[in-house]
Amino acid sequence: MVEHRKPIKVNEAIERVMQYTIKGSLQRVPIEESYGHFLGEDLVADHHVPPFDRSPYDGFALRSKDTNEATRNAPLQFEVIGEIGAGSVFEREVGEMQAVRIMTGAQIPKGCDAVVMLELVQEMEREGKSLIQIKRSFKTGDNISFAGEDTKKGAVLAPKGTYINPGMVALLATFGYKNVPVGTKPKIGIIATGSELLDIDEPLQPGKIRNSNAFMVYSQIQRAGGEPVYFGQFSDEFHTCYEQVKAALEQVDLLLTTGGVSVGDYDYLPAIYEKMGANVLFNKVGMRPGSVTTVAEKDGKLLFGLSGNPSACYVGFELFTRPIIRTFLHSYQPVMKKEVAVLGADFSKPNPFDRFVRGHLSFEDGNLVATPVGLDKSSVVSSLGAANILILLPGGTRGYERGMKVSVLLLEDQEGTKLEQFFHEASTDKRRKRYDG
Amino acid sequence: MVEHRKPIKVNEAIERVMQYTIKGSLQRVPIEESYGHFLGEDLVADHHVPPFDRSPYDGFALRSKDTNEATRNAPLQFEVIGEIGAGSVFEREVGEMQAVRIMTGAQIPKGCDAVVMLELVQEMEREGKSLIQIKRSFKTGDNISFAGEDTKKGAVLAPKGTYINPGMVALLATFGYKNVPVGTKPKIGIIATGSELLDIDEPLQPGKIRNSNAFMVYSQIQRAGGEPVYFGQFSDEFHTCYEQVKAALEQVDLLLTTGGVSVGDYDYLPAIYEKMGANVLFNKVGMRPGSVTTVAEKDGKLLFGLSGNPSACYVGFELFTRPIIRTFLHSYQPVMKKEVAVLGADFSKPNPFDRFVRGHLSFEDGNLVATPVGLDKSSVVSSLGAANILILLPGGTRGYERGMKVSVLLLEDQEGTKLEQFFHEASTDKRRKRYDG
């Protein structure tokens, strides 16, 4: 049994977990269901954009050489021999002193090499013929969007692992991805342990509380892009629980437990890991909350032993489980985005441990401001919903004051960042520069 | 037929649309499916938090009056008569000079009024009895979390219309919401028109392009929280199209069309609106792109005639359709959040119209920086996926330079803002203050 708990640094803990990343298999989903997934393959242009020479304006297509002599004082007249809307092709070849009325987006007719914008011509009729009069010359290529000038066939427009937002969906449709290659969602099992836990629909009982962590983590998994599988609340009896954990692990890609006791005498998870023959990566992290987070690995599958304390459970998931889920989905920026913000409250008391404080990021006249939520006891419950960042306060011998610059981790962001970048920026936290903006 | 198109200001257009908001009916979804919805009712605490007096630490519960005489030099010994884990209730009453080992979160036993933290006691055995020794006195209430001190029963913890994130899910579970009241998703119909459009799986043909707008808007609807219904590409023949639009409108809460021609001769949507007896709210907006956006209303249902130009379609949706969807979902902040950022590129050429430029918001050392995407023709296609903001450049006689402060609208944000706030902040755009940070 793992008895001694030696704390390791947060970054070291993340690195150990990230040695066991797995990339999920690919599947194709209909483009209508692709929003919110991550690209499983590079997005490649299957044709030039524009696909053909086309008109960017409403106007008249003609041969530029016929306009050479046109001036304000000696305008030239062209016969309008037809019109062409977007989506159709003009069948004939346009000849000398002829023009074709052309709509935005339509293909340039054969023979033409310039477009004159609608506003620059004077339209007239003579002997049943439509004419236009122009007062200046045009050069070959004027007002033509040439095939391939935006994007060349074969170009990679987004790399594998890109988050699919509506703009990406437009690209996928443009290049014919009726079915989109995306990573399959990892199945994440959830087990709640703790004899004090009531089911959500049970009436309250003396000494007991409702199980909120399991559902909180359930939605954190959804936000991260995984598929949660809730196994319910497991037995307090060691052998039964061991069998339950073992059976659950076989059905999922990774398994979370959220215990009811943060460090109490009843925590038998270490013993279960040992009996399973799992390799414990760490069982204590030098951070608050979440110091008793345990991660183990068994035959390549990760077991996350998250705390029963709601804040600790929340933070442990976002730091350690989220990047595993995002990597499974082929995201190349699997870690939470880390930014600099101005601290909106005092944390005067020094703390030897790195703290991750739930906060709300707001913008004030172009600056990022990080305000802790739930510092007062009286608001700790209702403020849980307001958190959209974790404020990172590195441990040390000094406190933090309102107005200092601190690092924040973005919870609702979908872009994420690379592991190296996450670690790199962490080293700048030491600055604790005052904000003079 | 509406022939004359008189442009109105963007804010005026939004106000006209918002006169036709509808709040959708409520439904209850299992808590596991509640993430990403909006609360349909206020979230109310069904019990005190904590529900009972409990210990915030591992330690020993005892009667504080028995500790009065304890000092460093004259420590007192207490008999440990039992232990109590989280979730269980100590059955007996604790008497004079007795103590009970208590775990974090467990209920304070009868008779006790203080908890001594584990670190402050010395444990010992004598004559088969467990004893603890303490070296200082404690007051009544020391180290006890009292029932209701965090939240009182009946308190409203989040108002109707709040976005449900994982923290909210934790609250819902805590207060017994096995099924969560949420707004039903509005059904949004999508019709593509335009004879130049190919289906996504059709091979390219001369003069034609694939229909990307319908799928882009489909995912924009998903992002906004609606349920898209794609009716496909409709006929170019007026009467057939009229019948199709009329039939489609009956099946949805609101209907979007995205046309293939931005202002060309073939746009028969106005005639269809007139034949339906729809009330046209506006058919031209003083903005770029999206000036030809049309919104009409028929028997309380809105019809959005979005442009066939991808950028115009995108912007028109986010400005006019999104707040209608969010209001339907009972969000009280239905409009895109508007913030101030530093412009990351020059827009030197003045433009009389308010422009909405797709851009990417990044953070640089605590400041918001808005960089336009797709300014170069060569990157216009691939950059579509990078946009997470619209940069608002109010029309006027001067251009904008890199480093100026501008307003940006956040596309991926879920909090949103109130209509008044959106309009209010708009008036500050005029400042065009230089950024000196």
Side-chain angles (χ1 to χ4, degrees):
Chain A
M1 196 187 303
V2 181
E3 298 248 52
H4 184 59
R5 296 190 172 222
K6 188 172 175 296
I8 63 171
K9 298 289 277 181
V10 175
N11 286 358
E12 166 72 12
I14 296 174
E15 270 188 340
R16 287 195 193 175
V17 172
M18 292 299 281
Q19 281 165 10
Y20 294 91
T21 54
I22 294 171
K23 290 191 179 178
S25 58
L26 297 185
Q27 63 181 56
R28 288 191 173 256
V29 296
I31 189 168
E32 293 92 337
E33 296 167 19
S34 65
Y35 169 66
H37 283 84
F38 293 82
L39 273 184
E41 295 172 4
D42 291 347
L43 194 167
V44 177
D46 76 333
H47 61 74
H48 284 335
V49 178
F52 43 82
D53 296 351
R54 70 182 174 196
S55 175
Y57 305 112
D58 286 351
F60 292 87
L62 42 62
R63 308 177 340 155
S64 63
K65 61 182 172 190
D66 295 344
T67 70
N68 282 345
E69 309 294 321
T71 65
R72 206 179 152 76
N73 294 328
L76 290 178
Q77 290 176 357
F78 289 72
E79 183 188 356
V80 180
I81 61 166
E83 68 173 24
I84 171 175
S88 47
V89 176
F90 195 70
E91 300 296 342
R92 286 179 283 159
E93 177 155 355
V94 177
E96 195 178 340
M97 300 310 285
Q98 292 183 331
V100 171
R101 173 83 168 88
I102 191 166
M103 311 302 168
T104 302
Q107 185 165 351
I108 305 296
K110 218 167 147 188
C112 298
D113 65 349
V115 170
V116 182
M117 285 189 284
L118 205 55
E119 306 88 280
L120 297 182
V121 308
Q122 195 184 339
E123 291 179 84
M124 49 188 69
E125 294 254 338
R126 198 173 58 210
E127 295 163 14
K129 285 182 178 171
S130 289
L131 299 177
I132 54 166
Q133 180 169 284
I134 64 171
K135 294 180 169 175
R136 49 162 283 209
S137 63
F138 291 85
K139 293 193 304 297
T140 184
D142 275 357
N143 300 318
I144 290 181
S145 298
F146 289 100
E149 78 175 16
D150 289 355
T151 291
K152 292 269 181 293
K153 180 175 174 172
V156 172
L157 298 176
K160 184 164 81 169
T162 301
Y163 178 75
I164 300 176
N165 65 16
M168 291 293 303
V169 173
L171 289 180
L172 288 163
T174 299
F175 297 109
Y177 287 82
K178 188 179 174 65
N179 294 294
V180 179
V182 300
T184 51
K185 295 188 173 207
K187 279 192 182 162
I188 322 276
I190 306 167
I191 296 170
T193 61
S195 49
E196 82 284 20
L197 294 184
L198 297 170
D199 268 345
I200 191 168
D201 52 350
E202 281 186 88
L204 286 181
Q205 294 169 28
K208 307 227 174 194
I209 57 168
R210 290 208 187 95
N211 172 10
S212 61
N213 281 6
F215 295 100
M216 180 181 74
V217 160
Y218 195 101
S219 58
Q220 287 179 283
I221 292 168
Q222 291 173 314
R223 178 167 68 185
E227 183 188 328
V229 181
Y230 183 37
F231 290 107
Q233 196 175 321
F234 275 14
S235 171
D236 284 343
E237 196 278 310
F238 178 80
H239 191 73
T240 311
C241 186
Y242 164 73
E243 294 294 344
Q244 288 174 315
V245 169
K246 225 178 74 165
L249 185 61
E250 277 168 25
Q251 300 171 53
V252 295
D253 295 301
L254 58 98
L255 188 62
L256 306 181
T257 55
T258 160
V261 191
S262 73
V263 73
D265 300 2
Y266 301 163
D267 187 2
Y268 44 57
L269 215 53
I272 287 179
Y273 291 158
E274 198 194 37
K275 193 173 160 72
M276 289 176 74
N279 164 31
V280 175
L281 307 185
F282 55 85
N283 56 22
K284 190 155 191 165
V285 186
M287 68 178 199
R288 294 285 184 277
S291 63
V292 294
T293 307
T294 297
V295 180
E297 170 267 329
K298 167 71 177 164
D299 301 334
K301 284 184 183 176
L302 288 168
L303 295 112
F304 291 83
L306 303 176
S307 167
N309 170 287
S311 295
C313 180
Y314 190 98
V315 169
F317 177 90
E318 297 296 339
L319 284 176
F320 306 119
T321 317
R322 183 191 190 279
I324 293 292
I325 295 177
R326 285 291 165 96
T327 308
F328 194 98
L329 291 165
H330 297 259
S331 167
Y332 52 89
Q333 301 193 135
V335 193
M336 277 183 285
K337 193 183 264 193
K338 190 183 221 171
E339 299 293 345
V340 174
V342 171
L343 190 59
D346 288 340
F347 283 81
S348 309
K349 208 175 151 186
N351 194 309
F353 297 101
D354 293 349
R355 276 175 294 174
F356 293 87
V357 179
R358 286 203 269 188
H360 184 261
L361 183 69
S362 57
F363 305 116
E364 290 181 12
D365 200 31
N367 301 303
L368 279 69
V369 178
T371 310
V373 294
L375 278 190
D376 308 326
K377 264 196 169 181
S378 61
S379 66
V380 71
V381 175
S382 59
S383 62
L384 295 190
N388 59 8
I389 49 167
L390 298 174
I391 304 172
L392 170 50
L393 301 176
T397 53
R398 289 173 50 196
Y400 292 84
E401 286 161 42
R402 186 190 168 100
M404 278 182 170
K405 285 203 173 183
V406 291
S407 285
V408 296
L409 309 179
L410 275 52
L411 293 165
E412 296 284 348
D413 161 79
Q414 294 293 1
E415 284 178 17
T417 193
K418 293 188 170 68
L419 199 59
E420 312 84 80
Q421 189 70 8
F422 185 87
F423 290 155
H424 171 72
E425 291 181 350
S427 67
T428 70
D429 298 336
K430 298 283 154 60
R431 293 172 308 166
R432 295 182 173 195
K433 223 169 65 182
R434 270 215 156 271
Y435 174 68
D436 307 310
Chain B
M1 195 186 303
V2 181
E3 299 248 52
H4 184 60
R5 297 189 171 222
K6 189 173 173 297
I8 64 171
K9 297 290 277 180
V10 175
N11 286 357
E12 166 72 13
I14 295 174
E15 270 188 341
R16 287 193 194 176
V17 172
M18 292 300 280
Q19 281 166 9
Y20 294 90
T21 54
I22 293 171
K23 291 191 179 178
S25 57
L26 298 185
Q27 65 181 69
R28 287 190 174 258
V29 296
I31 190 168
E32 293 91 337
E33 296 167 18
S34 66
Y35 169 67
H37 283 84
F38 292 83
L39 273 184
E41 295 172 4
D42 292 347
L43 194 167
V44 178
D46 75 334
H47 62 73
H48 283 336
V49 176
F52 44 81
D53 297 350
R54 70 183 175 196
S55 175
Y57 305 110
D58 286 351
F60 292 87
L62 41 65
R63 307 177 342 155
S64 63
K65 62 182 173 189
D66 297 343
T67 69
N68 282 346
E69 308 296 320
T71 65
R72 209 179 148 77
N73 294 329
L76 290 177
Q77 289 177 356
F78 289 71
E79 183 188 356
V80 180
I81 62 167
E83 67 174 24
I84 170 177
S88 47
V89 176
F90 195 71
E91 300 296 342
R92 287 180 283 159
E93 178 154 354
V94 177
E96 196 177 338
M97 300 310 286
Q98 292 183 330
V100 171
R101 173 84 168 88
I102 191 166
M103 310 302 167
T104 302
Q107 184 166 351
I108 306 297
K110 218 167 148 188
C112 298
D113 66 347
V115 169
V116 182
M117 285 188 285
L118 204 56
E119 306 88 280
L120 297 183
V121 307
Q122 195 182 340
E123 292 180 82
M124 49 187 70
E125 294 254 339
R126 198 172 57 208
E127 295 163 14
K129 284 182 178 172
S130 289
L131 297 177
I132 55 166
Q133 179 168 287
I134 65 171
K135 294 179 170 178
R136 50 162 282 208
S137 63
F138 290 85
K139 292 193 305 297
T140 184
D142 275 357
N143 299 319
I144 291 181
S145 299
F146 289 101
E149 78 175 16
D150 288 355
T151 291
K152 292 270 182 291
K153 180 175 174 171
V156 172
L157 298 176
K160 184 163 82 169
T162 302
Y163 178 75
I164 300 176
N165 65 15
M168 291 294 302
V169 173
L171 289 180
L172 288 163
T174 300
F175 297 109
Y177 287 81
K178 189 180 173 65
N179 294 294
V180 179
V182 300
T184 51
K185 295 188 172 206
K187 279 193 182 161
I188 321 275
I190 306 167
I191 296 170
T193 61
S195 49
E196 82 283 21
L197 295 184
L198 296 170
D199 269 344
I200 191 168
D201 52 349
E202 281 187 87
L204 286 180
Q205 294 169 29
K208 308 228 174 194
I209 56 169
R210 290 208 188 96
N211 173 11
S212 61
N213 280 5
F215 296 100
M216 180 181 74
V217 160
Y218 195 102
S219 58
Q220 287 179 283
I221 292 168
Q222 291 172 313
R223 179 168 68 184
E227 184 188 327
V229 181
Y230 182 37
F231 290 107
Q233 196 175 321
F234 275 16
S235 171
D236 283 345
E237 197 278 309
F238 178 81
H239 191 73
T240 310
C241 186
Y242 165 73
E243 294 294 343
Q244 288 174 315
V245 169
K246 225 177 76 165
L249 186 60
E250 278 169 24
Q251 300 171 52
V252 295
D253 295 301
L254 57 97
L255 187 62
L256 305 181
T257 55
T258 161
V261 190
S262 72
V263 73
D265 301 2
Y266 301 163
D267 187 2
Y268 43 58
L269 216 54
I272 286 178
Y273 291 158
E274 198 195 37
K275 193 172 160 75
M276 290 176 73
N279 164 31
V280 175
L281 308 185
F282 56 84
N283 57 21
K284 190 155 191 166
V285 186
M287 68 179 198
R288 294 288 185 276
S291 64
V292 294
T293 308
T294 298
V295 180
E297 171 266 330
K298 167 70 177 165
D299 301 333
K301 283 184 183 176
L302 289 168
L303 295 112
F304 292 83
L306 303 176
S307 167
N309 170 286
S311 294
C313 179
Y314 189 99
V315 169
F317 177 91
E318 297 296 338
L319 284 176
F320 306 120
T321 318
R322 182 190 191 278
I324 293 291
I325 295 177
R326 285 291 165 97
T327 308
F328 194 99
L329 291 165
H330 297 259
S331 167
Y332 51 88
Q333 301 193 136
V335 193
M336 276 182 286
K337 193 183 265 194
K338 191 183 220 171
E339 299 292 345
V340 174
V342 171
L343 190 59
D346 289 339
F347 283 82
S348 310
K349 208 176 151 187
N351 194 309
F353 297 102
D354 293 349
R355 276 174 295 174
F356 293 88
V357 179
R358 287 203 270 187
H360 184 260
L361 183 69
S362 58
F363 305 116
E364 291 181 12
D365 200 33
N367 302 304
L368 279 69
V369 178
T371 310
V373 294
L375 278 189
D376 306 326
K377 265 195 170 181
S378 61
S379 67
V380 71
V381 175
S382 59
S383 62
L384 295 189
N388 59 10
I389 49 168
L390 298 175
I391 305 172
L392 170 50
L393 301 175
T397 53
R398 290 173 48 197
Y400 293 84
E401 286 160 43
R402 186 190 167 99
M404 279 182 169
K405 285 203 172 182
V406 290
S407 286
V408 296
L409 309 179
L410 275 52
L411 293 165
E412 295 284 348
D413 161 79
Q414 293 294 359
E415 286 178 16
T417 192
K418 292 189 171 67
L419 199 60
E420 311 85 79
Q421 189 70 9
F422 185 87
F423 290 156
H424 171 71
E425 291 180 348
S427 67
T428 69
D429 297 336
K430 299 283 153 59
R431 292 172 307 168
R432 295 183 175 193
K433 224 168 63 182
R434 269 215 159 269
Y435 175 67
D436 308 309

